[in-house]
Every structure is written in structure tokens, then in C-alpha cells.
């Protein structure tokens, strides 16, 4: 970068942060000092030559230090007339920020139109609105100097969100990007950052989030215990009633289930594996126990929907952590079973085990709990939420099986 480019880049960088750039009125000059541009006599001469050149074509002006005319420059300022700014960008070879932001906002809008997930769509819309208003790039999620890379990330995000069929990460990457490792190496981190920022997935681990969009390292394993019979698309049928210590099927099997019948009066979904294994040791014959695992993948949704279809009088419970994640998982399952009942997730359970509770130190987490207090969809948890907010505590369900 030569001295003319260097000077203009410094001035334009300051211009892009100014009130005038953002569309407001400002009479303040875009000023910089000269000390940053040289450290030797040769550099100083090159700098002064560049200054005189830029002034001669009307892009800048400058002033000398007192009694140092021709020797020491005091201040340099930018000519902010529209045509002069345009010329300054050309000579500096700097990407024009306003055009760059407009292009990025257009790319985001196109992604919004393609994405089916409400939370992600709303988050992108909010970020786009912020950029359009502030004229600043959301650097936490997008590159400030490469819209080609931004488009690629948004395309990858759309591919993840709209993925309908369970795929391993390597197969998905090969299909979408022509290389089995590209997604994990290049796109997984920025895509997950956007998904997590949407709010709903804050509590989940990376693999759990991806599994909710049918992307897995290996086919998902579903664990359960109880009197269940399934019919598969190939005509085979299986009865799991005699698996007294629990049974397993994988997600590929779930895809081929045509019918699932439960011969029980109640069903309980359990979030934590330790609690699941502890529970099935003593579960009754008239009870179906399902290890939910703490995240609501499409295959779990399909499995539970199949169970609901032929279980008209089934009483269904969910046992999860007394925390944000547990409450949100409960509401996800409730979309399938509207009469879902919380099990050991109430005020009484929390107060009885308050010595085992975990202190909440994150004020942002407390604010999220407060939001649920104003949400009718979480009304069943309002009594326990009030205690959590007041005492700043939460309770993991594993604590309830510690003797």
C-alpha cells in the first residue's frame, strides 16, 4: 500500500464511523494526525509528496504545525463531497462500506426468504435491520471485508436449517460442498454461531444442535423400556415387551416404522441418561419409559408422534432439569402431547432439594427466566420460576437420584 492509499484508508476508516456517514448531519471535519505515517526521512518525504498530490486533486486538505510550514503537518482532513468520497475509495482501493453493507443486507434478506425456521429467520431479520440503521457490520457473525465468504456461510446456514433427511456430517458435506470435511472445517463454526445467537439453542452442545437439523456423526440411537410393538415398512414386526432392562433402535429404523402400539397406561420422557437408567430399574409393566436425551431431534419427534397416533388414553409425563433447557424441552414435547405433565419439575421439588441447587451467576440467564414468567406457554412453571429468579438457582435432575 503506497502513502496515498494509506492516508485515504485512514481517513475513510474514520469517515465510516462518523455521524455523516450514517446519514445524519454533521459539520465536524474528518481529522487525523500525521505521526502514524512515517518513521524515517524517506517515509516522511513520500508522505509529504502524497499529501500534496491528494490535495491537488481535491480529496484532502491539511494544515502545518505552528512555525513548521513545509516541514511538520499538524492535521489532515477529508473532503466529504459525494464525488470526492467516491474518488477517494477508488484511489485507496478500499471497499466502499455503504455498498458493502447494502450487498450484505441483500444477501441476508435472500437467506431469510429461504429459511424455514422461525427463530433463525427472525434473528437474521433483526441483524439486517441493525446494520441498515447503524451502517455498521455485525462483525460477530459476518466478515467485514468479504461478501463472497458471507454468502457461502449464509448458503451453508440455509442448507443446515432446511435439511429434511438424516445425514452424517461427512455425507452432508460431500453433497453440499464437494468435500466430506469442508462443512466441519470451514462452515460449522460460523453457522452454529448464528444458530446459537437466535436464542433457542443456547443450552445445547454443538452436536445436539446439528442433530435437531438431522445432521449427525452417526445414526441416532433411541432408548426406551416398555410394552411396545412396531410394524416396519418391509412387513416385519417387533415386540419389545420382554426387554425388561431397556431396548434400543436407531434412527434408520425409526424412518421405516409404519405403526407403533403401546400397551401401557402411562409414558414418561426422561432428559438425563443417569436418571433414565435409575428409573427403569423399578418401572412398572403399565409404563413406557423413553430416554429423551435433552434435545428434540426430528427422529425423536417422528418416534413420539408414532406413539401418540395409537395411544389415545395415554397419560404422558416429562422429567427434566429445573432450568431453561428442561422447560424448553418440555414445551417441545408438549407440541406432540398437549396434555403433557411435568414430573418432579415443580416448586416443591426445588425447595425440598435446595441444598443441591446450583447458583446462577449469569444475569443474562436470569433475564431469560424472567421472560418465561411473562410467557403463557410456560404458565405451568411460573411458581418454580419465581423461586429460581428470587434465589438465583437451578436444579439438575441427577441431584434427585443421589441418596
Amino acid at each position: 500500500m503506497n502513502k496515498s492509499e494509506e492516508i485515504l484508508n485512514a481517513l475513510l476508516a474514520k469517515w465510516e464511523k462518523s455521524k455523516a456517514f450514517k446519514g445524519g448531519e454533521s459539520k465536524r471535519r474528518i481529522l487525523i494526525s500525521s505521526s502514524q505515517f512515517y518513521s524515517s526521512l524517506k517515509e516522511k518525504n513520500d508522505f509529504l509528496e502524497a499529501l500534496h498530490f491528494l490535495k491537488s486533486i481535491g480529496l484532502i486538505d491539511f494544515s502545518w504545525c505552528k512555525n513548521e510550514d513545509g516541514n511538520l503537518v499538524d492535521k489532515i482532513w477529508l473532503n466529504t463531497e459525494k464525488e470526492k468520497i467516491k474518488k477517494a475509495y477508488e484511489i485507496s482501493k478500499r471497499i466502499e462500506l455503504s455498498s458493502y453493507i447494502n450487498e450484505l443486507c441483500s444477501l441476508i434478506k435472500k437467506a431469510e426468504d429461504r429459511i424455514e425456521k422461525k427463530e433463525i429467520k427472525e434473528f437474521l431479520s433483526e441483524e439486517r435491520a441493525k446494520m441498515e440503521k447503524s451502517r455498521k457490520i455485525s462483525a460477530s457473525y459476518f466478515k467485514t471485508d468479504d461478501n463472497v465468504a458471507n454468502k457461502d456461510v449464509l448458503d451453508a446456514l440455509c442448507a443446515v436449517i432446511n435439511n429434511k433427511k438424516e445425514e452424517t456430517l461427512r455425507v452432508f458435506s460431500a453433497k453440499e460442498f464437494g468435500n466430506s470435511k469442508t462443512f466441519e472445517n470451514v462452515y460449522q463454526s460460523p453457522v452454529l454461531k448464528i444458530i446459537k445467537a437466535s436464542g433457542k439453542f443456547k443450552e445445547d452442545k454443538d452436536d445436539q444442535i446439528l442433530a435437531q437439523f438431522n445432521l449427525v456423526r452417526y445414526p441416532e440411537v433411541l432408548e426406551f423400556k416398555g410394552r411396545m410393538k412396531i410394524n416396519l415398512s418391509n412387513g416385519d414386526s417387533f415386540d419389545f415387551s420382554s426387554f425388561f432392562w431397556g431396548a434400543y433402535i436407531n434412527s434408520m429404523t425409526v424412518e421405516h416404522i409404519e405403526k407403533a402400539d403401546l400397551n401401557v397406561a402411562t409414558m414418561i420422557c426422561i432428559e438425563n441418561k443417569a436418571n433414565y437408567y435409575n428409573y427403569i430399574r423399578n418401572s412398572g409393566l403399565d409404563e413406557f419409559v423413553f430416554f429423551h436425551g435433552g434435545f428434540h431431534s426430528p427422529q425423536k419427534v417422528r418416534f413420539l408422534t408414532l406413539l401418540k397416533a395409537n395411544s389415545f388414553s395415554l397419560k404422558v409425563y416429562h422429567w427434566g432439569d429445573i432450568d431453561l433447557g428442561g422447560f424448553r424441552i418440555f414445551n417441545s414435547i408438549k407440541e406432540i402431547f398437549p396434555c403433557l405433565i411435568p414430573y418432579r419439575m415443580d416448586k416443591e421439588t426445588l425447595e425440598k432439594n435446595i441444598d443441591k441447587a446450583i447458583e446462577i451467576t449469569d444475569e443474562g440467564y436470569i433475564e431469560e427466566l424472567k421472560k418465561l414468567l411473562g410467557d403463557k406457554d410456560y404458565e405451568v412453571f411460573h411458581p418454580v420460576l419465581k423461586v429460581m429468579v428470587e434465589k438465583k438457582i437451578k436444579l439438575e435432575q441427577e441431584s434427585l437420584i443421589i441418596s
Side-chain angles (χ1 to χ4, degrees):
M1 184 183 295
N2 63 38
K3 286 298 176 188
S4 292
E5 293 171 3
E6 201 176 329
I7 293 165
L8 289 176
N9 265 283
L11 285 164
L12 289 169
K14 193 162 185 179
W15 151 250
E16 289 168 354
K17 295 176 182 177
S18 71
K19 184 178 179 181
F21 173 80
K22 296 171 186 175
E25 291 186 11
S26 177
K27 295 181 180 179
R28 295 183 65 182
R29 291 188 297 183
I30 307 302
L31 293 168
I32 58 173
S33 63
S34 63
S35 58
Q36 61 185 293
F37 295 105
Y38 60 86
S39 57
S40 68
L41 182 59
K42 182 183 183 308
E43 283 189 330
K44 180 181 176 181
N45 291 333
D46 290 343
F47 165 69
L48 291 173
E49 184 180 342
L51 274 185
H52 286 294
F53 165 71
L54 293 174
K55 181 176 180 177
S56 72
I57 59 175
L59 299 189
I60 68 157
D61 205 345
F62 61 91
S63 62
W64 299 104
C65 293
K66 189 176 180 179
N67 301 320
E68 291 288 353
D69 286 16
N71 182 35
L72 293 179
V73 173
D74 181 21
K75 299 293 183 185
I76 310 164
W77 57 91
L78 184 68
N79 185 337
T80 55
E81 292 175 14
K82 188 174 180 180
E83 290 304 314
K84 299 299 183 182
I85 288 287
K86 184 177 179 181
K87 186 68 175 176
Y89 273 110
E90 289 176 5
I91 292 178
S92 69
K93 300 175 184 174
R94 183 183 182 88
I95 298 171
E96 189 174 356
L97 184 59
S98 187
S99 299
Y100 184 87
I101 290 173
N102 291 341
E103 181 184 17
L104 176 55
C105 287
S106 176
L107 292 172
I108 294 171
K109 180 64 173 67
K110 289 176 182 177
E112 289 171 46
D113 294 340
R114 292 161 58 195
I115 285 174
E116 299 170 8
K117 198 77 173 174
K118 180 184 175 184
E119 296 86 358
I120 314 296
K121 186 189 287 282
E122 289 178 351
F123 172 75
L124 289 176
S125 179
E126 288 169 6
E127 288 300 306
R128 176 170 57 84
K130 286 179 192 174
M131 281 190 277
E132 288 172 340
K133 184 176 180 180
S134 69
R135 308 311 290 165
K136 288 176 64 178
I137 298 167
S138 297
S140 297
Y141 312 109
F142 303 104
K143 290 187 177 295
T144 59
D145 59 356
D146 190 348
N147 268 337
V148 173
N150 287 331
K151 180 182 183 301
D152 289 344
V153 168
L154 287 166
D155 286 343
L157 175 68
C158 292
V160 169
I161 302 301
N162 297 337
N163 186 51
K164 300 297 183 187
K165 183 180 178 184
E166 186 179 79
E167 298 274 16
T168 63
L169 287 171
R170 293 288 177 88
V171 171
F172 170 78
S173 183
K175 285 170 63 175
E176 293 291 334
F177 310 107
N179 184 294
S180 65
K181 296 180 181 179
T182 298
F183 177 72
E184 288 180 85
N185 292 342
V186 180
Y187 298 116
Q188 181 170 314
S189 179
V191 164
L192 284 173
K193 188 178 284 188
I194 293 173
I195 293 174
K196 289 176 183 177
S198 71
K200 185 177 179 182
F201 307 94
K202 286 181 181 176
E203 297 268 293
D204 298 327
K205 297 176 181 177
D206 290 355
D207 284 354
Q208 292 177 338
I209 293 172
L210 292 170
Q212 293 177 68
F213 299 104
N214 278 310
L215 295 176
V216 295
R217 295 193 181 279
Y218 307 102
E220 187 179 2
V221 173
L222 284 72
E223 301 184 45
F224 52 85
K225 178 196 172 184
R227 294 189 293 190
M228 179 183 73
K229 295 179 181 179
I230 61 171
N231 296 330
L232 301 180
S233 56
N234 66 356
D236 290 340
S237 61
F238 296 92
D239 186 344
F240 293 92
S241 302
S242 59
F243 287 76
F244 301 114
W245 300 277
Y248 308 76
I249 56 175
N250 64 26
S251 51
M252 293 186 291
T253 303
V254 173
E255 283 186 20
H256 293 282
I257 297 176
E258 289 192 339
K259 185 180 179 183
D261 286 319
L262 292 180
N263 184 24
V264 295
T266 64
M267 180 174 85
I268 181 167
C269 299
I270 298 178
E271 180 182 341
N272 181 270
K273 186 169 281 192
N275 293 66
Y276 166 76
Y277 283 127
N278 185 72
Y279 192 93
I280 64 174
R281 290 175 183 172
N282 302 301
S283 59
L285 292 175
D286 208 23
E287 186 174 24
F288 185 80
V289 188
F290 177 59
F291 169 54
H292 188 272
F295 63 101
H296 206 52
S297 69
Q299 294 306 321
K300 288 193 178 95
V301 172
R302 172 168 167 73
F303 183 67
L304 291 172
T305 303
L306 285 163
L307 295 180
K308 178 190 175 183
N310 293 287
S311 307
F312 304 108
S313 59
L314 190 66
K315 203 168 186 178
V316 186
Y317 298 84
H318 173 67
W319 183 15
D321 293 333
I322 300 179
D323 66 6
L324 276 174
F327 300 149
R328 286 170 175 161
I329 292 163
F330 177 91
N331 268 17
S332 296
I333 299 172
K334 193 177 179 182
E335 291 176 8
I336 303 169
F337 298 98
C339 295
L340 186 66
I341 305 163
Y343 177 78
R344 302 188 77 181
M345 297 177 71
D346 52 26
K347 174 185 174 182
E348 291 72 26
T349 300
L350 178 59
E351 291 180 333
K352 187 177 178 181
N353 295 276
I354 207 159
D355 58 316
K356 300 170 186 172
I358 298 170
E359 181 185 2
I360 302 171
T361 57
D362 182 356
E363 285 301 321
Y365 193 100
I366 296 294
E367 289 304 312
E368 291 294 321
L369 293 176
K370 287 178 180 178
K371 287 179 186 177
L372 300 193
L373 275 169
D375 191 335
K376 193 173 181 181
D377 289 341
Y378 291 87
E379 193 170 6
V380 68
F381 296 116
H382 284 180
V384 70
L385 277 164
K386 288 176 183 176
V387 177
M388 294 171 71
V389 169
E390 179 189 345
K391 298 185 181 296
K392 295 188 176 182
I393 56 173
K394 60 184 178 179
L395 184 67
E396 295 178 342
Q397 65 178 137
E398 297 99 309
S399 301
L400 303 180
I401 60 174
I402 299 172
S403 56

